Amino acid sequence: MFPGISVPQEGLASFLAGEPWAVKVPGNPAAIAVGATTMSSTEALKASLRGKALRITHYYHDLLWESVEGHYVPNAGFLEDVVFEDPAFLQLCTSESCEGASEASNSQQNGSGSHEVGEPVDVTNSLSESNQASSSLTQFDVENVTAEERIAGVGDLTIKENVPSEELSDHHTLSTEDVDALLDKCLLQALHTTVKDKDLPLPGSTLWSNHILPCRPPGITLDIKKSSYKKLSKWLQAKSSTGLIAVKEDKHKKEVMLSSFDRNHAEYSSFKPEKRKVEKKNEISDHAANESRSNRMLDVAEIYKPSVHVNPIFASVGADKGKLFSASEASDIVFKYIEKENLVKPTDKSIVVLDAILCDALFKGVIKKGSTYPAEIHKKDLGQLFINRMQAHHLVTRGSESVVRKGALKAIQILTERRQGNKKVTKFSGMETFLVDAEALASELQKKFACSTSVAELPGKKGHEVLVQGGVIDDLAKHLVEQYGIPKRYIEVLDKTKK
């Protein structure tokens, strides 16, 4: 399962569905299982790293291991290493049924949320060496071996290949004092590197998930409940009493907020932030990143189709009446007709004399019966009046996807209101118009704002409505502009919580 996988700080490496991967546990470089990925890295990110990561094919001490003299995995080739931090996976890999193990892992709710990809391992060589070490063991019946004995056997696996020291680090249980010290170190690291003044005030939950946890050392699980403070709010208030940070309580959200921090404080000045190693991305990951950026690029154009009113003008100049035109192209058509028919007033070049065809195209059905039709019109008014007589359409393009819809472009509507007392909720709709998937956006906002989100179909309409817990109307509008390129003029906001 993805929640049980350790993800490196540089992010998830690119991979395709069906690729063979090896499974390792912290502290042991030997693979304990092999399997194939159930989805690609792109699909995994869209699913917010949830669900099944690997379909296990072969694992340590299964029936295949005990029955085959040479432990060979068909079509394995070179495998990527996957490090599991979830202790329950040890029991998964020693269960009698791989399918049963996969179902059991579905119930695991806790995971480090990280995924660590190591160097490729030649499974044929690694497993054969492990086989040579185990060939001298006495044969025994698999059915009579307890789970505890199998788990103990996993620690005896060894390989002779060189393994990076990072993968061989000791994963021991931290004491309360160690956790307290690690909390302080991660806070100082975050204040030096990731927390910016423009982000303040910052909710405590956001500070924890987006700044504190990413600053922990690789392979270390940080749990506030294992510290002497037990609660995040008590820890922040304790640091506030030292003068390093300033916190305040949000009465509406009932949450401690980081309002500022002192860069002249002794702890801050004496701390030297660590430089994180950033590995160069391979060509595949670069291509995936470029593709992701291109998919976020938005192009919106208002286009027009000739109507029955202006069709004679288009027919006269030989233009295609079934084609869609931009505003400038439509204006060129009408001025081309004026030039062809020589309708410019000789005494005043800024005035156009209307003939019967042009007059009907501009005013037929608009001028009331009995009223006099105008005989001439100024050039500056002609173009917009001509465009208004055409059928409005809009073209929306995002990456390689493009769609044309009839009518004017409708804006995204964002609304914040109160529910159940002082609780605020923000809901918005119309994102499909700009080729934004509601489910994917809701999952993205859930992580960005550290709150719950839901998606519901709009009654009697095509489209969906996304509901976000909390008053994030301004942040949401900013996110749509910066991350999805939606112009501000197409975003309508209404805050019902303000009097």
Side-chain angles (χ1 to χ4, degrees), residues 14 41-42 45 281-296:
S14 298
S41 55
T42 303
L45 292 174
K281 298 182 179 179
N282 53 33
E283 294 180 0
I284 298 179
S285 59
D286 285 340
H287 176 73
N290 293 333
E291 183 179 358
S292 176
R293 284 193 293 268
S294 66
N295 287 339
R296 292 183 181 271

Side-chain angles (χ1 to χ4, degrees), residues 110-216:
N110 180 24
S112 63
S114 53
H115 182 217
E116 178 180 327
V117 179
E119 295 296 325
V121 176
D122 189 337
V123 172
T124 306
N125 294 338
S126 300
L127 293 181
S128 358
E129 289 176 10
S130 299
N131 180 44
Q132 293 174 5
S134 61
S135 59
S136 60
L137 297 176
T138 305
Q139 297 295 325
F140 53 87
D141 187 1
V142 178
E143 300 295 333
N144 295 328
V145 179
T146 64
E148 289 77 6
E149 292 172 336
R150 292 183 181 183
I151 295 173
V154 174
D156 297 331
L157 282 173
T158 58
I159 62 173
K160 299 179 180 180
E161 297 181 3
N162 294 327
V163 179
S165 59
E166 292 82 357
E167 298 185 7
L168 294 175
S169 58
D170 294 331
H171 291 259
H172 55 81
T173 303
L174 298 176
S175 64
T176 303
E177 293 76 12
D178 293 336
V179 175
D180 290 349
L182 184 58
L183 284 173
D184 294 346
K185 180 180 179 181
C186 291
L187 175 61
L188 290 169
Q189 178 74 18
L191 295 179
H192 274 275
T193 57
T194 63
V195 178
K196 308 299 180 183
D197 290 334
K198 64 180 182 179
D199 299 330
L200 302 175
L202 193 65
S205 58
T206 305
L207 173 67
W208 176 261
S209 59
N210 294 355
H211 301 278
I212 301 297
L213 289 182
C215 290
R216 61 188 173 179

Side-chain angles (χ1 to χ4, degrees), residues 263-289:
R263 290 187 172 86
N264 296 322
H265 194 273
E267 287 187 56
Y268 185 93
S269 303
S270 60
F271 182 79
K272 294 183 179 180
E274 298 178 358
K275 294 183 179 180
R276 303 290 182 178
K277 295 182 180 180
V278 179
E279 296 182 0
K280 294 183 178 179
K281 298 182 179 179
N282 53 33
E283 294 180 0
I284 298 179
S285 59
D286 285 340
H287 176 73

Side-chain angles (χ1 to χ4, degrees), residues 86 349 368 431 469:
D86 192 346
K349 299 296 184 180
K368 295 181 180 180
M431 71 289 298
Q469 296 291 337

Side-chain angles (χ1 to χ4, degrees), residues 1-2 4-6 23-26 53-54 82-87 89:
M1 305 293 290
F2 276 109
I5 300 179
S6 166
V23 181
K24 301 191 305 182
V25 294
L54 297 180
V82 180
V83 176
F84 276 77
E85 292 188 348
D86 192 346
F89 190 78

Side-chain angles (χ1 to χ4, degrees), residues 431-477:
M431 71 289 298
E432 291 90 353
T433 303
F434 300 92
L435 304 181
V436 177
D437 182 70
E439 294 285 352
L441 179 58
S443 177
E444 181 180 337
L445 296 177
Q446 182 180 16
K447 294 187 292 183
K448 178 176 178 60
F449 300 129
C451 62
S452 62
T453 59
S454 61
V455 180
E457 292 187 8
L458 291 173
K461 298 181 180 180
K462 293 183 178 179
H464 297 80
E465 180 182 70
V466 177
L467 188 144
V468 182
Q469 296 291 337
V472 294
I473 186 169
D474 295 331
D475 295 333
L476 176 56

